[in-house]
């Protein structure tokens, strides 16, 4: 989970730096008044979300498989405990 979160944060940071550079050189418009930082942050969120969805698909699938395995083991232990209590 930590690895996935760090990769996602890295994609966001990369988008932020790239977009900040584009705003700085004038390719993208600056925000209104003092909202330049907010503009770049929001634009970075919008750009990084689909990139993360596509680029981190394998990591997300691996993570979900591990979570499903843990849930199945917990269900098995819970059912075994219930059976042991019913038998006693």
């Amino acid at each position: 989970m930590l690895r996935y979160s760090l990769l996602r944060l890295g994609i966001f940071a990369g988008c932020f730096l790239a977009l900040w550079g584009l705003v700085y050189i004038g390719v993208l418009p600056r925000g209104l008044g003092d909202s330049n930082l907010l503009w770049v942050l929001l634009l970075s969120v919008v750009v990084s979300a689909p990139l993360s969805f596509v680029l981190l698909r394998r990591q997300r699938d691996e993570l979900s498989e591990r979570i499903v395995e843990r849930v199945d083991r917990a269900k098995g232990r819970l059912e075994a405990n219930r059976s042991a209590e019913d038998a006693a």
Side-chain angles (χ1 to χ4, degrees):
M1 187 70 152
L2 180 64
R3 186 176 131 217
Y4 176 78
S5 297
L6 289 174
L7 288 171
R8 183 121 192 229
L9 183 63
I11 289 174
F12 172 77
C15 288
F16 178 79
L17 291 175
L19 291 171
W20 185 269
L22 291 173
V23 168
Y24 183 75
I25 62 174
V27 174
L28 293 175
R30 295 186 187 276
L32 297 174
D34 293 332
S35 67
N36 192 28
L37 179 63
L38 182 61
W39 162 251
V40 176
L41 281 172
L42 288 175
L43 194 56
S44 298
V45 168
V46 169
V47 170
S48 69
L51 284 175
S52 295
F53 183 74
V54 173
L55 296 175
L56 299 178
R57 178 171 292 170
R58 184 174 51 106
Q59 288 83 4
R60 194 173 49 252
D61 289 344
E62 289 172 3
L63 181 62
S64 67
E65 287 174 9
R66 280 191 242 143
I67 290 172
V68 167
E69 289 172 2
R70 287 182 182 176
V71 168
D72 288 343
R73 281 190 306 228
K75 284 181 181 178
R77 286 192 306 264
L78 182 62
E79 188 60 37
N81 288 340
R82 284 184 186 162
S83 299
E85 288 177 2
D86 290 341

